[in-house]
Amino acid sequence: MPHILVGNFRRVILISGDVVGVTMILVTGGAGYIGSHCALKLMEAGEDVKVFDSLELGTQHALDVLGREFPDRFKGFVKGDLKEPEDIRRAVTEDVEAVVHFAAYSQVAESMRNPRRYYENNVIGTINLLGAMADARVGMIVFSSTAATYGEPVYTPIDEKHPKAPINPYGATKLIAERIMQDYEKHGIRSARLRYFNVAGADPKGRLGECHDPETHLIPNVLKAAGTGKEFSMFGTDYDTRDGTCVRDYIDVNDLAEAHVLALRYLRNGGRTDCFNLGTNGGSTVREVFAVCRDVVGEDIPLKECLRREGDPAVLVADNRKAREVLGWEPKSTLRDSVARAWAWERTRP
Ligand code: UFG
């Protein structure tokens, strides 16, 4: 039967338009906050998805949602640890077309206290994954990277050419993993490395949301204070910004997930290894975020102004033009949308 070959030459599309052969996407860390939203979005876009996760930070709830929402497209779950080469080999089977790689530790402060934990999981784990991909001849990876690869901004908004000088082990591990992926292009693995700014929000239908323990992020912490009546601690009110608090670029998790679907399409269309900032091109101060949260919640939230948190740059805002132009990405949600969905999740989450 006539057919054409696209992508890494292992995906076969018949003239009739039907896809046969290997079309499954492996999502590492697919039971975590961002990974589960992306797995859902991939299946909404018609992809078959398999999840690899250790469940150390990911949740059974997220897996239940993926299986319940898409019983035909959710192709199963492999429980394993990326640091164990045999575990990831069990997941990277020959029917996998591409990998979307989230599995990692991502707490900046913890990475300062325990760098080894970060280098082992985020760097050696990625090496194990790439080795398994090379052996199974899986030729595409979309990678969850971070604005922390840039370090202290030299100019803002930050574009992809900005110097990369991470100031904490977390950012360093992601930059090293990016570099390793770049070197694998010559060995048949192309990568789209996506540098997230501040990810926020939850699924609009309330199925998934953020669950970190301990929680360090701004929006969930403000909403927790609203829910429990405990004071929210605002770190640093003497920065050189419009109201003295830090400016961050909050990108909605659903818009972020959409960028992964587009990055996969980019690689399928033959796109070269490249990196893309995922942010909104704009920023909000901590006080502005707090005000939006108070507005959404509809009542006062107890607030304590505290000293600066170590390692927080004053301003981190993305220049996202490259993702718009090359991937055709267009973030749609407002900060208020993200906060409203996060608040809905906070009140109903299991
Ligand atoms: N903040 C508070 N109180 C809190 C939590 C945060 O005032 O309880 C402030 C922080 O000091 C900072 C802002 O809110 O000014 C945002 O802090 P987050 O912890 O929500 O996010 P970060 O900007 O520190 O970190 C994010 C990602 C990291 C990534 C980093 C890139 O969470 O994974 O951006 O620099 F590394």
Side-chain angles (χ1 to χ4, degrees):
M1 189 176 295
H3 62 260
I4 54 167
L5 297 170
V6 298
N8 60 354
F9 304 109
R10 296 175 58 230
R11 178 182 153 85
V12 181
I13 302 180
L14 302 180
I15 292 287
S16 65
D18 294 337
V19 178
V20 296
V22 284
T23 56
M24 193 190 299
I25 309 303
L26 176 68
V27 180
T28 76
Y33 167 47
I34 302 175
S36 61
H37 284 81
C38 285
L40 201 57
K41 186 73 84 182
L42 284 163
M43 291 192 288
E44 279 168 4
E47 304 288 352
D48 285 350
V49 164
K50 177 164 71 171
V51 166
F52 177 85
D53 203 294
S54 68
L55 293 188
E56 183 190 342
L57 302 171
T59 64
Q60 183 61 46
H61 166 77
L63 295 174
D64 293 344
V65 168
L66 299 179
R68 184 190 73 213
E69 294 296 312
F70 289 98
D72 297 334
R73 293 186 192 148
F74 186 56
K75 299 295 179 193
F77 165 59
V78 178
K79 186 165 190 280
D81 183 341
L82 261 190
K83 297 191 291 305
E84 300 296 335
E86 286 316 311
D87 283 9
I88 186 62
R89 262 174 218 288
R90 279 193 288 121
V92 187
T93 43
E94 298 227 333
D95 53 357
V96 169
E97 183 199 6
V99 175
V100 187
H101 178 31
F102 299 96
Y105 295 140
S106 63
Q107 303 280 345
V108 170
E110 185 193 43
S111 79
M112 309 275 259
R113 289 194 301 273
N114 193 349
R116 179 177 170 175
R117 182 172 152 82
Y118 277 68
Y119 283 97
E120 282 180 351
N121 196 44
N122 298 2
V123 178
I124 297 177
T126 300
I127 291 172
N128 290 340
L129 171 63
L130 290 167
M133 288 174 66
D135 289 350
R137 297 194 305 117
V138 177
M140 296 180 279
I141 181 166
V142 178
F143 178 54
S144 161
S145 189
T146 170
T149 53
Y150 295 114
E152 200 62 56
V154 178
Y155 58 84
T156 186
I158 296 173
D159 60 16
E160 290 81 359
K161 293 195 180 87
H162 185 284
K164 264 65 79 189
I167 54 169
N168 52 61
Y170 166 62
T173 61
K174 289 286 184 175
L175 186 60
I176 293 168
E178 279 198 20
R179 172 65 219 217
I180 296 169
M181 274 173 211
Q182 196 176 312
D183 292 337
Y184 265 82
E185 186 170 34
K186 286 199 188 68
H187 299 273
I189 299 177
R190 287 173 297 120
S191 56
R193 296 154 305 158
L194 308 181
R195 298 186 183 138
Y196 312 158
F197 281 65
N198 287 57
V199 187
D203 172 53
K205 294 185 184 162
R207 297 165 292 185
L208 297 166
E210 199 162 0
C211 287
H212 296 118
D213 185 19
E215 186 53 74
T216 60
H217 293 109
L218 174 62
I219 293 170
N221 276 351
V222 178
L223 298 178
K224 272 205 172 67
T228 60
K230 283 193 192 146
E231 271 175 342
F232 161 70
S233 300
M234 184 179 276
F235 299 133
T237 53
D238 58 349
Y239 287 95
D240 184 16
T241 58
R242 52 186 176 264
D243 64 17
T245 62
C246 290
V247 174
R248 292 289 181 276
D249 187 341
Y250 295 91
I251 177 71
D252 188 79
V253 68
N254 302 289
D255 287 333
L256 190 90
E258 182 66 29
H260 292 69
V261 174
L262 295 170
L264 185 64
R265 189 176 299 161
Y266 162 81
L267 291 173
R268 272 190 184 137
N269 289 338
R272 296 288 308 265
T273 289
D274 212 339
C275 48
F276 303 93
N277 283 343
L278 299 183
T280 65
N281 263 19
S284 305
T285 67
V286 174
R287 281 194 201 283
E288 288 162 356
V289 172
F290 182 80
V292 172
C293 291
R294 199 178 40 204
D295 219 41
V296 165
V297 168
E299 54 191 60
D300 264 350
I301 302 171
L303 164 67
K304 185 167 79 180
E305 294 188 4
C306 304
L307 296 175
R308 293 180 178 197
R309 189 173 69 176
E310 203 191 344
D312 278 342
V315 180
L316 272 180
V317 173
D319 180 333
N320 68 6
R321 270 177 299 184
K322 191 170 164 190
R324 285 171 185 267
E325 285 164 15
V326 179
L327 303 180
W329 180 59
E330 192 67 46
K332 298 182 191 79
S333 305
T334 63
L335 176 62
R336 200 189 162 84
D337 294 334
S338 303
V339 170
R341 291 174 201 146
W343 177 234
W345 165 254
E346 194 62 39
R347 281 177 304 159
T348 57
R349 70 177 183 173

